[in-house]
């Protein structure tokens, strides 16, 4: 792929600039993408990737710069406008209508006024698309019942259905399991051989190496380089991205585990989805121990999370926190006893989106003595705390007063991590703690998790990244259909055996 004139680019961007109050999110960015190309956009949290994409799809109007699509100058007034011209985007946070079916979601808003929806011809067309690209999806299924990985296909089909030829995907693999990712890339490769072009935003360097033809690196709103992927290594990309070397290996000190901080004794729960219900599950985490829960999403991880945090009902069995029975305690009682929580769905469960960063830092923490002056909150103290955390976690934000909803995806996650890590918890439950973070931030979070472990915190690490579990956990528990199917000392754990147990083979 080159711009020597053999092919003309599908899209060409010249000096695109976009400000937000106090931030230069995109600083004169120029690049082009060829037909049939998968082009990755890489950069730290807050580097300006989503903003750039949203300038191309009509969400934002750039302050300056020009965009040419198939050789023609374009200026879109809305995402709808961009889609009608052939440019579509799937966002970090989906925009589906959960109670509607797959097919309804795909065609809603696409037929022009007055024309009755023809479900028959629509479903024929969608089935043809699925066949062409190898997408497996039940068109009649209700979207809210689908796993997120499948929901993403619905978003993608929405764009293909209206004939999009340039597709922008913002961290699509963040919601996929490793098995799903392989299949996902297979489909993307097929799409580009059929003439589509893709701009793929991701933090995962392996994915960039695996799937892209070229990659563009942004740092703090500036374009650092556009390079052929073949000519790069993972290390070189990481260095371009964060401006320093990133160490992919962690040094883990030996820690002598103490007394149990969490015990599940024969816990049974009930859910609509039987695969997820806990069926007499027992486990134990000690002080200074990281227990990694390995499993395919939807095998009870969510139930364990709910039972520990106190939002899920226990049918029978017991839950002990520091030896004390908390089976019937409220979430607040558990938090006051030293439970810290990093939820999987940060937008809904972890943050107040329309509130400033500052208020979000003290959520659940507001009763702590240092934040109070008599009956009131001590905002001077809270401000100082906020500034310290912003600095410590390098959160890209102008001031503690900035509303959380204006933060980038990864920086949202950092606000939760900073808050939960700072409570000196006795037990931390971390559900996908590094999802959506850039490599530098992941490195930092991993170190902080090991620091907590060293100070005696017991940690339950729920992660779909097996690499992460192997790097951090002392003990690995494999969950399948609501039961622990195997327990391993990480040093002696066999990754293949774990993979088989995750799939329900062997015991
Ligand atoms: N609506 C907005 N108002 C104010 N600032 C914003 C707004 N949207 C984004 N920003 C700021 O612009 C910068 C770039 O954000 P952007 O979302 O493009 O980053 P990103 O590269 O996608 O990061 P991530 O990997 O964390 O998703 C950040 O500093 C962010 O806080
Ligand atoms: Mg983003």
């Amino acid at each position: 792929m080159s711009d020597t004139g053999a092919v003309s680019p599908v899209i060409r961007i010249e000096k695109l600039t976009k400000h937000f109050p106090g931030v230069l999110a995109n600083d004169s960015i120029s690049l082009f993408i060829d037909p049939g190309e998968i082009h990755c956009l890489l950069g730290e949290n807050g580097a300006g990737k989503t903003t750039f994409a949203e300038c191309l799809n009509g969400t934002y109007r750039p302050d300056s710069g020009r965009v040419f699509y198939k050789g023609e100058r374009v200026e879109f007034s809305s995402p709808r406008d961009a889609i009608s011209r052939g440019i579509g985007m799937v966002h970090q946070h989906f925009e589906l209508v959960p109670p509607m079916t797959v097919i309804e979601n795909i065609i809603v808003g696409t037929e022009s006024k007055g024309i009755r929806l023809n479900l028959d011809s629509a479903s024929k067309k969608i089935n043809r698309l699925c066949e062409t690209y190898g997408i497996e999806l039940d068109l009649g299924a209700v979207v809210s019942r689908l796993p997120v990985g499948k929901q993403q296909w619905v978003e993608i089909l929405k764009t293909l259905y209206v004939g999009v030829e340039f597709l922008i995907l913002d961290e699509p693999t963040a919601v996929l399991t490793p098995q799903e990712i392989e299949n996902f890339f297979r489909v993307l490769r097929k799409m580009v051989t059929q003439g589509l072009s893709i701009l793929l935003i991701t933090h995962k360097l392996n994915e960039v190496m695996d799937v892209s033809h070229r990659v563009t690196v942004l740092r703090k709103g500036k374009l650092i380089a556009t390079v052929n992927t073949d000519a790069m290594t993972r290390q070189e990309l990481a260095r371009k991205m964060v401006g320093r070397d990133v160490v992919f290996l962690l040094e883990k000190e030996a820690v002598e585990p103490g007394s149990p901080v969490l015990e599940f004794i024969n816990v049974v729960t009930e859910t609509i989805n039987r695969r997820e219900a806990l069926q007499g599950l027992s486990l134990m985490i000690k002080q200074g121990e990281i227990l990694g829960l390995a499993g395919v999403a939807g095998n009870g991880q969510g139930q364990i999370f709910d039972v520990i945090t106190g939002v899920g009902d226990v049918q029978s069995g017991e839950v002990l926190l520091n030896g004390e029975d908390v089976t019937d305690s409220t979430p607040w009682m558990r938090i006051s006893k030293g439970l810290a929580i990093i939820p999987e769905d940060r937008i809904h469960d972890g943050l107040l989106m329309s509130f400033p960063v500052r208020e979000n830092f003290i959520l659940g923490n507001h009763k702590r003595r240092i934040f109070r002056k008599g009956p009131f909150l001590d905002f001077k103290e809270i401000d100082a705390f906020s500034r310290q955390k912003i600095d410590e976690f390098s959160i890209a934000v102008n001031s503690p007063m900035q509303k959380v909803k204006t933060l980038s995806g990864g920086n949202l996650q950092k606000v939760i991590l900073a808050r939960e890590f700072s409570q000196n918890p006795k037990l931390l439950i971390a559900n996908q703690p590094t999802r959506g973070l850039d490599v530098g931030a992941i490195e930092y979070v991993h170190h902080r998790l090991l620091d907590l472990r060293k100070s005696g915190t017991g940690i339950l690490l729920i992660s779909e990244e097996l690499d992460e579990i192997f790097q951090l956990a002392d003990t690995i528990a494999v969950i399948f259909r609501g039961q622990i199917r195997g327990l391993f000392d990480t040093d002696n754990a066999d990754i293949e055996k774990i993979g088989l147990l995750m799939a329900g083979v062997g015991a």
Side-chain angles (χ1 to χ4, degrees), residues 137-406:
L137 200 60
D138 170 9
L139 299 191
V142 173
V143 160
S144 61
R145 300 254 173 84
L146 290 177
V148 274
K150 294 270 182 202
Q151 294 187 11
Q152 182 151 263
W153 286 126
V154 183
E155 287 281 14
I156 291 174
L157 280 165
K158 267 167 69 179
T159 67
L160 298 178
Y161 182 74
V162 292
V164 157
E165 290 176 59
F166 176 53
L167 183 60
I168 305 169
L169 301 167
D170 197 354
E171 296 190 41
T173 59
V175 299
L176 301 180
T177 62
Q179 293 91 327
E180 288 174 318
I181 290 175
E182 242 173 72
N183 178 49
F184 186 77
F185 284 161
R186 201 160 37 231
V187 176
L188 294 195
R189 288 194 191 97
K190 217 163 194 176
M191 286 176 175
V192 295
T193 57
Q194 307 268 336
L196 265 71
S197 308
I198 294 173
L199 181 67
L200 175 70
I201 301 176
T202 178
H203 288 294
K204 300 182 188 167
L205 298 171
N206 291 338
E207 296 181 355
V208 176
M209 298 303 294
D210 186 20
V211 81
S212 71
H213 301 103
R214 292 187 304 150
V215 48
T216 290
V217 180
L218 300 185
R219 198 192 309 153
K220 296 190 165 64
K222 288 195 164 53
L223 190 146
I224 299 298
T226 296
V227 291
N228 287 329
T229 312
D230 283 349
M232 300 301 287
T233 64
R234 209 162 70 113
Q235 277 74 10
E236 285 167 329
L237 280 178
R239 194 179 318 118
K240 281 207 188 311
M241 194 171 133
V242 298
R244 64 175 168 83
D245 278 318
V246 177
V247 186
F248 289 102
L249 274 178
L250 273 180
E251 288 281 336
K252 204 165 96 190
E253 275 179 57
V255 171
E256 196 55 48
S259 50
V261 286
L262 176 76
E263 286 162 89
F264 268 43
I265 306 168
N266 279 319
V267 173
V268 174
T269 64
E270 246 177 40
T271 54
I272 306 169
N273 186 345
R274 301 267 301 287
R275 242 159 60 101
E276 291 174 21
L278 304 183
Q279 306 178 24
L281 186 140
S282 298
L283 60 81
M284 180 198 282
I285 302 175
K286 293 180 178 156
Q287 290 170 336
E289 180 189 21
I290 300 182
L291 182 112
L293 193 62
V296 175
N299 273 286
Q301 296 93 326
Q303 290 280 297
I304 290 184
F305 183 88
D306 288 353
V307 167
I308 294 177
T309 55
V311 300
D313 284 337
V314 173
Q315 298 282 314
S316 65
E318 272 175 71
V319 181
L320 310 185
L321 195 58
N322 305 308
E324 197 183 326
D325 188 342
V326 293
T327 318
D328 299 315
S329 304
T330 62
W332 287 117
M333 282 162 78
R334 299 172 195 223
I335 289 169
S336 69
K337 286 181 177 138
L339 172 67
I341 305 163
I342 299 169
E344 180 177 15
D345 183 347
R346 39 208 185 234
I347 305 283
H348 294 105
D349 300 335
L351 295 166
L352 295 172
M353 292 300 275
S354 354
F355 278 68
V357 171
R358 184 178 77 173
E359 270 73 2
N360 276 280
F361 271 141
I362 59 161
L363 264 187
N365 247 333
H366 55 286
K367 290 188 180 140
R368 274 167 65 180
R369 174 113 27 85
I370 58 156
F371 295 139
R372 305 204 71 96
K373 223 187 218 159
F376 303 108
L377 285 170
D378 181 351
F379 277 106
K380 219 172 124 199
E381 202 55 55
I382 294 170
D383 267 344
F385 174 84
S386 302
R387 284 180 202 286
Q388 188 202 331
K389 292 297 156 195
I390 287 169
D391 187 48
E392 220 178 289
F393 282 79
S394 353
I395 301 174
V397 65
N398 288 323
S399 95
M401 293 310 292
Q402 191 173 332
K403 284 191 180 147
V404 162
K405 68 175 165 208
T406 66

Side-chain angles (χ1 to χ4, degrees), residues 282 291-294 475-480 483-489 497-498 501-502 506-507:
S282 298
L291 182 112
L293 193 62
T475 314
I476 300 177
V478 184
I479 189 167
F480 179 76
Q483 286 178 329
I484 300 296
R485 291 299 183 96
L487 203 58
F488 301 86
D489 215 348
K497 181 140 192 235
I498 289 178
L501 289 171
M502 284 168 63

Side-chain angles (χ1 to χ4, degrees), residues 45-46 48-51 92 170-171 201 203 408-410:
N45 297 128
K49 303 178 296 294
T50 299
T51 305
Q92 265 168 306
D170 197 354
E171 296 190 41
I201 301 176
H203 288 294
S408 77

